[in-house]
Each structure stands twice: as C-alpha cells, then as structure tokens.
Amino acid sequence: MTLGVSATAAWQSERNRLLGIAYRMLGDFGHAEDVVSEVAIDAVRQERKAESRVDSWPAWLTTVCVRRSVDRVRQLAAVREDYIGPWLPEPLDMATLPEEAVANRELLSLTLLHLAEQLAPEARAALVLHRAFGMSAPEIAEILEKTPAAVRQMISRAERRLDIDPEAPAPRAKDRAALDKLVHAIEQGELETVVAMLDRDAILWADGGGKVKSAMNPLFGAARISRFFAGIFGKAVVFDPVRPVRAEIVEVNGEAALVLRHHGRADIVTINCGPDGTIRELRQLSNPDKLTRLSLVR
C-alpha cells in the first residue's frame, strides 16, 4: 500500500461524515463539498511528510475539516454582506444523502441553520460537533484548541441563543398542523385564512438572491407579510387564472415544508409556530440556484 492510498482510503471512509459537519457549519452544500475536498488534499500532504505520524485518521480528518470550515465561515461572512436580499441556507433532500452525513438529523433544519449564522464560527462548530455528532467537550476542546470548560460554555450559550432544548429537540406538531391548514387555504385561494394564521409580530425572510423577484428585506408584522402574499396571489392569477398557486407538503432538511408553485416557478417555505399555533416565522427560498439539489421542486 502506498503512502497516498492510506490517506485517501481514510478520507473516503470518513467523507460523508465530514460533509455532514461542513454543511451544518456553512449552510451551503457546494461549499461543504469544497471544504471536504480540501481536507483530502491536506491528508495526502500530511502523510507524505517523512516526519509525520497520524495515530487516528478519523480524528485528524475531523479536526482539519472543522478548522477549514471555521475559516470558510469567516470568508463567506464578507461575501454574504453583498448578497442581494436576505440569505437563507441551501435546502437538501435528505433521501439523497448518506446516513453518515445526516447523522441524527440534529441541526439540519433550515430554521436552525439560518439562526446559527448569528453564532461565532467556533461556537457554531462546538454546537454542531456536540449536538449532531455526540462529541464530548474535551474532544471538541482539542479540535478548537480551547479548554473543555470554555467549550461547555460555548455550547450552553449557543443553545440558549438558538432556543434549543439541551435535552430534546422541540416538537414540530403545531408546525405540521399549520402547514396542512396552509395547503388547503392556498389551494382554495383563501388568502384571508392565510393572513389569520399569522402572528401579529410574524417575520418573513424571502431569499430570491436577485435571480427572481422577492422581498429585498425581512418583512416584519402580519400586515406587511399579508400584502406580500396578496401580491404573489394577484400576479399568479394573471399568469394562470385556473390554478394560480399550488401547494404541497414535502420533507426538506428533515422537516416538513411547503412547495409553492406559481408563475412557472417553485418556492420552498418553512414555518415556525408559537405555543398558540400562530405562525411566527416564515422562510421562503426562491433563488433557483439554491434549489438544484431538490428533485421535489422540478
């Protein structure tokens, strides 16, 4: 066995798990693939060093993947400042991903991937490794070159910031019930029902990326969101008077979501409901470049 083969074999064995880490860090599968490819090159170079010795390839590969992902998050922060309109993570069809990348589905929802943008890169890494891959604080501390106490504090603060229950994932029953109701209202053209489902202080993020017409800034409040959807419905009727908007429930990133079809295009919409069942947050992905990995919208 040559030196390169050993490193390559180790990377191939760990590749899917590394993709799961990088995607959760970056919210963009293309960038995640780039990072994991760079890790492969690093592994081969490391093994070719005459003085180097890797005791555990999985640990070494994980460390390099996390550190490269942290660097990429920092690089993308500047790029996303110039993004046209709100930036939302790239959605994925979980059925197309290997189990090692999906892991336990923790931190895969578009909501959490979006909220995790608020976290510092190393805090995001600590949360991903702990929640999604079950790594302990001492293990994470070695990767991030922190103390275990500092890592525990980062994880605790990140969970509070993202409103994550440290013991169990939040129930999604209200969201699914609301989606079922939304589908019926949209299919029947009952815009007033859609409006009535919104919390007074609801927020909508719409990511068109400058590729399709969409809201350029987050919309705050039920009144503004209702006007936004009224505009969509009105233009859709002109485009197709018989069936202007179609809706169906699909699974995206391990959670129920809507596919809205109108104007000859498809949008992905996810929602979050409050304790009273009203919709408090909506995320609408319309940028066609971000929907290429979803067979559901074609």
Side-chain angles (χ1 to χ4, degrees):
M1 178 177 291
T2 66
L3 292 176
V5 171
S6 178
T8 302
W11 175 83
Q12 288 174 336
S13 176
E14 296 293 318
R15 178 179 180 273
N16 293 331
R17 186 177 62 85
L18 300 177
L19 276 172
I21 293 172
Y23 172 68
R24 286 171 172 87
M25 286 286 296
L26 302 165
D28 183 299
F29 202 73
H31 280 292
E33 289 178 317
D34 289 345
V35 164
V36 174
S37 294
E38 291 167 3
V39 172
I41 296 171
D42 290 343
V44 172
R45 287 175 176 168
Q46 176 69 17
E47 195 172 38
R48 285 176 177 169
K49 294 178 182 177
E51 74 280 4
S52 70
R53 179 170 175 246
V54 175
D55 294 326
S56 170
W57 274 115
W60 189 94
L61 292 166
T62 298
T63 297
V64 175
C65 180
V66 170
R67 291 177 181 175
R68 278 199 169 270
S69 295
V70 166
D71 290 341
R72 185 65 67 97
V73 169
R74 293 190 175 116
Q75 293 167 8
L76 290 176
V79 175
R80 288 173 183 171
E81 286 182 2
D82 297 326
Y83 190 80
I84 300 175
W87 180 92
L88 293 174
E90 177 188 15
L92 298 176
D93 182 352
M94 293 292 97
T96 66
L97 292 182
E99 189 59 35
E100 298 95 324
V102 174
N104 62 5
R105 300 201 174 204
E106 185 70 275
L107 294 179
L108 273 175
S109 79
L110 293 177
T111 298
L112 288 180
L113 287 174
H114 183 212
L115 291 175
E117 288 289 303
Q118 305 171 33
L119 302 176
E122 290 184 336
R124 186 167 184 170
L127 186 67
V128 165
L129 295 175
H130 176 67
R131 294 287 302 190
F133 294 90
M135 294 182 66
S136 67
E139 290 172 321
I140 299 170
E142 286 191 28
I143 293 172
L144 298 179
E145 299 180 314
K146 305 283 186 183
T147 66
V151 168
R152 291 187 189 96
Q153 188 174 58
M154 280 196 294
I155 293 169
S156 177
R157 287 177 176 173
E159 288 175 336
R160 288 198 303 271
R161 184 80 177 268
L162 273 58
D163 195 23
I164 297 175
D165 184 339
E167 300 299 328
R172 311 292 296 181
K174 288 187 177 66
D175 292 15
R176 179 60 193 239
L179 283 171
D180 287 333
K181 188 175 180 180
L182 267 179
V183 168
H184 177 78
I186 291 169
E187 288 282 305
Q188 299 301 314
E190 299 172 356
L191 186 58
E192 66 280 0
T193 300
V194 176
V195 173
M197 295 176 66
L198 297 174
D199 183 87
R200 184 180 64 180
D201 299 319
I203 305 173
L204 167 71
W205 292 269
D207 181 346
K211 301 300 177 69
V212 297
K213 192 170 183 179
S214 190
M216 294 297 293
N217 296 293
L219 299 181
F220 297 91
R224 294 187 68 191
I225 295 172
S226 63
R227 288 195 295 271
F228 174 75
F229 280 114
I232 290 178
F233 275 73
K235 293 173 183 176
V237 169
V238 175
F239 184 85
D240 185 350
V242 177
R243 199 177 181 189
V245 182
R246 291 174 292 144
E248 62 179 304
I249 295 178
V250 297
E251 184 175 286
V252 175
N253 284 57
E255 65 180 342
L258 283 183
V259 175
L260 289 183
R261 304 181 192 277
H262 59 96
H263 296 82
R265 80 187 208 200
D267 302 342
I268 291 291
V269 180
T270 63
I271 65 171
N272 282 326
C273 293
D276 60 357
T278 59
I279 299 173
R280 291 188 173 180
E281 297 178 343
L282 303 95
R283 291 169 174 83
Q284 179 179 358
L285 267 152
S286 308
N287 184 345
D289 292 346
K290 290 189 176 182
L291 303 177
T292 58
R293 300 179 195 273
L294 291 177
S295 59
L296 308 167
V297 302
R298 295 171 190 166

